[in-house]
Amino acid sequence: MLKTTGATFLAIATSFFILLFSPPPKSYYHSLFISSSLSDNASISHHLRTLTRRPHVAGSQANAEAASYVLSTLSACNIKAHIVSYDVLLTYPDSRSLTLTPSPSEPPITFDLKQEIYEGDPYADVADEVLPTNHAYAKSGSVVGPVVYVNYGRVEDYGTLKEMGVNVTGTVVLARYGEIYRGDIVMNAFEAGAVGALVYTDRKDYGGGGGDAKWFPDDKWMPPSGVQVGTVYNGSGDPTTPGWASSEGCERVSIEEVESSGDVPLIPSMPISGADGETILRSIGGQIAKDNWQGSIDAPTYRVGPGPGVVNLEYNGKQVIATIQNVMGVIEGVEEPDRFVILGNHRDAWTFGAVDPNSGTAALLEVAQRLQKLQRSGWKPRRTIILCNWDAEEYGLTGSTEWVEENRDLLASRAVAYLNVDCAVSGAGFHASGTPQLDDLLKQAAQQVQDPDNSSQTIYEQWIQSTESSLIGRLGGAGSDYAAFLLHIGVPAADMRFGAGYPVYHSMYDDYTWMEKFGDPIFHRNVAAVASVWGLVALRLADEEFLPFNYHSYALELQKRAEDLENDISDKGITFSPLFKSIEELSKAARKINNQKKEIKEAKGWTSMRRNDHVKVRELNDRLMMAERAFTDRDGLLRRPWYKHLIYAPSRHNDYGYTSFPGIDDAIENAKNLNTAESWHVVQHEVWRVARAVKHASLVLDGKLT
């Protein structure tokens, strides 16, 4: 009796001791992370001002200095930080010119192709460090041709021109930016028979709509001389190392092989200002363009041509194998150091980069500083957190792609999720995209953070009020550094930002002044809306015993998308029954693993101290982590083998857009054009491929061999 009483007393005393002296629960630290006591608006403002004091394109000394700043900041946060370098092919403008002959009777006009400094510009002393306006990886050459106006340069725009009887062959097209990726604008022009392409920013889209509208620095709009530069490369990573890392002394394909790959344009192109674009538009005759092809209220009437205006476009670029630098910071997990939660943002910018990308870099450093404060309070992550600051994203997601390709197998077996922030802040309104199993987690994080523009509500409440379509977008497009993680190796991913598009994108006017006046005047959006949500999602993925994934959301999404495709070709004899069967199996497996998670939680208590329960939790989490990998196929998409994911990928004609079931979608487009039995047979084959991938994912979730 005394022994029993003593044992009971010892158990009670031990329990009391554990409760009294054990560290706070992880949820305590998560709440602390998003509290106002840890955020620092002045610090984030300082980071942004420092990072954007000079233009810092990839491969430049200024960008190397920015890398050093990120490295030193992470190190100061007691985070183990290092630089990973790659030698990659980058291009820079060597010479360029553009001349317009409005008509045979008029003298030629030579454009100066310069973005103008504004009165009081605080960056006037370093403006000459901004690269001359160009397209990265543009084809060098000299072309002459009459101009054809092609609206946004989409495939359907060329279809409209064909219906109007306009022949594009041998012309130089003039396209306005805004609906599709600029690289696809150039590619579509080439496929239509054009010899060159000019891309301008229309006042209707970026200049405030004309009329009495003011522009930067008086308002947020793009000045008339502003030019949106950028890459026209349609691949990912270094073009000379397709599929493998650009490490020192590595194998490289030749420039001729790069050009034959189909990922770089085969005609010269150039970005130009809205003012220059309007001058060229005034020289175009022919039929009047459709109403929805027209410009702002005081713009000239847009006609389609060809001519009589003729342009002479000359561009010569230099190709350089340059060193780029990814900055990596690691906070090692205590219980599961071999499971990685990865946060990433890129550092390189075409010009000053206050919005794109260094609002995100400043937010990344803010997250790092808050994590340091948590560590001082006793927090230690369960899983490893990796903070990544990528280089050369603007050229083709290069830094992140090279790192993923170099670490492919390790990441495929250990990465829990990748969380991306590119342009953290460009205005009001929260936006998030991700793979469906992260939907609930993103919503829950947004429900915990106060809306910076309205203290009476949460970000989630603002979010649902301002969204007309689906709340959370998807990540099939190749618009930022999540691409290699999700689309190449199948790591669950999310991307978030505050604000949508912004008028001075990729121009000389994306500077600290624009951000301070129009993007985030007191830097509260950057801190509260991005760093808080971003960090909170990361903390929950890193700390929670059970990974907060819900694949039932995935199954529901796949069901809807499959039904849409089936309805689109209901008269073509294609059966989707294998896919629907696999989706049902995925739904069952998702419900089963959710129930298993619940059962383990309910059975816990003192038994949780047993090793067997730790093994069960680890095994269940591995199934949740690895299910996304099963949606990939080692052969990749037809004619796009780098993209391995069979559920999401970029649209074939818009690298920034995405399509669900991309292999099926590509095959349907081809079959509609050819309308042969063989082409429709390929569609059926692609349905089977996706059905097999979805079944593989359900088997992974189920965790049992057949």
Side-chain angles (χ1 to χ4, degrees):
M1 182 69 180
L2 288 174
K3 287 183 179 179
T4 304
T5 304
T8 303
F9 177 78
L10 179 61
I12 294 171
T14 302
S15 177
F16 179 76
F17 181 86
I18 291 173
L19 289 171
L20 188 63
F21 295 101
S22 62
K26 292 295 178 67
S27 59
Y28 163 79
Y29 294 110
H30 299 176
S31 297
L32 182 61
F33 179 86
I34 61 175
S35 69
S36 58
S37 63
L38 260 65
S39 63
D40 189 344
N41 291 5
S43 175
I44 205 164
S45 173
H46 171 74
H47 291 320
L48 188 62
R49 187 184 290 275
T50 302
L51 289 163
T52 61
R53 60 189 175 88
R54 292 171 61 192
H56 49 286
V57 70
S60 67
Q61 179 59 35
N63 199 38
E65 292 172 4
S68 296
Y69 178 79
V70 172
L71 181 70
S72 64
T73 304
L74 292 178
S75 298
C77 294
N78 200 31
I79 293 172
K80 295 178 182 178
H82 63 283
I83 286 178
V84 180
S85 298
Y86 298 100
D87 298 325
V88 303
L89 178 72
L90 303 180
T91 69
Y92 303 98
D94 197 18
S95 65
R96 73 218 205 292
S97 66
L98 181 65
T99 302
L100 167 70
T101 303
S103 70
S105 62
E106 296 178 82
I109 300 169
T110 299
F111 299 101
D112 65 14
L113 305 176
K114 291 182 179 179
Q115 301 183 80
E116 297 175 0
I117 298 169
Y118 57 89
E119 185 177 350
D121 186 348
Y123 299 99
D125 60 327
V126 292
D128 60 351
E129 295 181 25
V130 175
L131 280 182
T133 52
N134 76 105
H135 282 152
Y137 301 112
K139 174 76 172 176
S140 292
S142 176
V143 295
V144 179
V147 188
V148 170
Y149 170 56
V150 296
N151 197 25
Y152 292 108
R154 300 166 295 187
V155 170
E156 55 264 40
D157 293 327
Y158 286 100
T160 297
L161 289 171
K162 186 176 181 180
E163 292 173 359
M164 296 173 69
V166 177
N167 184 4
V168 179
T169 303
T171 68
V172 175
V173 302
L174 176 68
R176 54 181 175 179
Y177 185 82
E179 292 294 326
I180 63 173
Y181 169 59
R182 73 189 70 77
D184 290 308
I185 293 176
V186 181
M187 194 69 70
N188 292 343
F190 168 75
E191 292 179 353
V195 297
L198 301 171
V199 183
Y200 79 104
T201 47
D202 198 295
R203 278 192 292 163
K204 182 178 181 180
D205 300 312
Y206 296 93
D212 296 328
K214 296 181 180 180
W215 52 79
F216 184 69
D218 299 316
D219 207 334
K220 67 179 183 179
W221 302 106
M222 177 81 94
S225 71
V227 179
Q228 184 224 94
V229 301
T231 187
V232 288
Y233 176 46
N234 280 297
S236 292
D238 182 353
T240 67
T241 60
W244 63 91
S246 299
S247 53
E248 185 177 357
C250 68
E251 175 190 9
R252 295 183 186 276
V253 302
S254 67
I255 297 301
E256 290 74 23
E257 289 173 294
V258 170
E259 291 189 346
S260 66
S261 70
D263 287 332
V264 295
L266 298 178
I267 58 173
S269 67
M270 185 182 295
I272 61 174
S273 68
D276 292 348
E278 197 163 293
T279 298
I280 295 172
L281 280 162
R282 294 180 188 277
S283 76
I284 300 175
Q287 300 175 63
I288 295 176
K290 296 168 60 177
D291 288 346
N292 59 359
W293 286 38
Q294 295 296 325
S296 57
I297 53 176
D298 56 349
T301 299
Y302 291 3
R303 297 175 180 269
V304 296
V310 173
V311 298
N312 184 334
L313 164 62
E314 294 186 17
Y315 175 76
N316 288 293
K318 51 186 176 183
Q319 299 167 331
V320 178
I321 298 295
T323 299
I324 62 171
Q325 298 177 314
N326 295 335
V327 184
M328 318 297 290
V330 180
I331 304 174
E332 191 165 306
V334 174
E335 297 170 68
E336 298 184 75
D338 60 342
R339 293 293 178 262
F340 308 148
V341 175
I342 307 171
L343 291 77
N345 151 269
H346 76 95
R347 180 187 66 259
D348 65 297
W350 287 119
T351 62
F352 297 96
V355 173
D356 183 9
N358 298 131
S359 62
T361 313
L364 183 73
L365 297 180
E366 168 71 8
V367 169
Q369 290 174 325
R370 291 198 208 176
L371 293 178
Q372 180 196 26
K373 294 172 184 176
L374 288 190
Q375 287 180 301
R376 288 174 178 171
S377 300
W379 166 80
K380 295 178 181 179
R382 179 188 182 95
R383 304 179 183 93
T384 294
I385 295 175
I386 304 177
L387 306 176
C388 309
N389 186 227
W390 310 116
D391 202 351
E393 186 269 359
E394 296 291 6
Y395 275 83
L397 316 179
T398 309
S400 58
T401 298
E402 299 309 310
W403 190 73
V404 169
E405 289 175 345
E406 184 167 49
N407 298 283
R408 179 188 293 112
D409 294 335
L410 204 58
L411 291 169
S413 62
R414 298 186 179 186
V416 171
Y418 175 73
L419 308 174
N420 189 71
V421 169
D422 191 321
C423 307
V425 177
S426 60
F430 183 70
H431 301 269
S433 300
T435 44
Q437 75 274 56
L438 296 175
D439 284 1
D440 290 349
L441 176 59
L442 289 168
K443 293 174 185 176
Q444 290 161 11
Q447 288 168 351
Q448 291 183 250
V449 180
Q450 186 183 77
D451 177 10
D453 294 310
N454 184 349
S455 60
S456 67
Q457 64 181 8
T458 65
I459 287 175
Y460 180 77
E461 290 169 320
Q462 170 272 315
W463 192 10
I464 58 175
Q465 292 167 13
S466 62
T467 304
E468 296 179 0
S469 56
S470 58
L471 188 64
I472 298 175
R474 298 298 170 222
L475 290 178
S480 195
D481 289 302
Y482 53 77
F485 290 91
L486 173 61
L487 308 180
H488 190 58
I489 62 173
V491 174
D495 181 86
M496 57 201 80
R497 65 182 298 167
F498 224 66
Y502 65 106
V504 297
Y505 172 63
H506 280 194
S507 76
M508 190 175 77
Y509 309 105
D510 181 6
D511 61 19
Y512 184 89
T513 302
W514 190 94
M515 175 63 82
E516 192 175 39
K517 293 181 71 171
F518 305 112
D520 194 9
I522 57 174
F523 297 97
H524 65 296
R525 289 185 190 129
N526 209 334
V527 174
V530 180
S532 292
V533 178
W534 194 13
L536 184 57
V537 170
L539 284 170
R540 290 193 57 190
L541 287 167
D543 284 343
E544 291 193 6
E545 185 176 23
F546 294 92
L547 291 178
F549 289 175
N550 182 2
Y551 277 89
H552 187 62
S553 300
Y554 224 130
L556 293 174
E557 171 110 354
L558 299 187
Q559 179 74 21
K560 182 179 184 304
R561 298 304 179 192
E563 290 172 356
D564 290 342
L565 278 179
E566 183 183 45
N567 292 334
D568 183 44
I569 54 170
S570 57
D571 60 340
K572 301 300 182 181
I574 303 298
T575 176
F576 280 76
S577 57
L579 180 54
F580 287 124
K581 181 181 178 182
S582 293
I583 293 171
E584 177 57 30
E585 290 174 357
L586 179 66
S587 182
K588 289 179 180 177
R591 289 194 295 269
K592 181 178 178 181
I593 199 168
N594 286 345
N595 289 334
Q596 289 172 340
K597 187 191 302 186
K598 184 179 178 181
E599 289 169 5
I600 296 174
K601 286 181 178 179
E602 290 175 348
K604 289 180 71 65
W606 287 107
T607 58
S608 66
M609 302 301 291
R610 295 188 311 211
R611 173 173 169 74
N612 186 47
D613 284 335
H614 293 303
V615 172
K616 284 183 179 180
V617 171
R618 170 84 167 192
E619 187 272 338
L620 186 145
N621 281 336
D622 282 351
R623 287 187 273 146
L624 290 168
M625 182 181 74
M626 297 301 293
E628 186 74 46
R629 316 286 199 270
F631 292 128
T632 63
D633 184 283
R634 65 183 175 213
D635 294 329
L637 299 179
L638 187 64
R639 292 184 291 275
R640 296 190 288 166
W642 187 85
Y643 293 107
K644 308 295 185 185
H645 209 284
L646 298 190
I647 307 301
Y648 299 115
S651 166
R652 275 187 64 194
H653 301 292
N654 179 15
D655 207 48
Y656 284 167
Y658 85 93
T659 181
S660 300
F661 305 125
I664 302 175
D665 194 69
D666 289 353
I668 289 175
E669 180 187 354
N670 188 58
K672 284 181 176 180
N673 289 332
L674 298 177
N675 201 25
T676 62
E678 182 180 358
S679 63
W680 286 108
H681 176 73
V682 173
V683 174
Q684 187 65 74
H685 170 66
E686 290 296 332
V687 172
W688 276 108
R689 282 185 79 197
V690 176
R692 288 190 288 270
V694 175
K695 182 176 182 179
H696 291 160
S698 66
L699 290 173
V700 171
L701 281 181
D702 195 51
K704 293 181 180 179
L705 296 171
T706 57

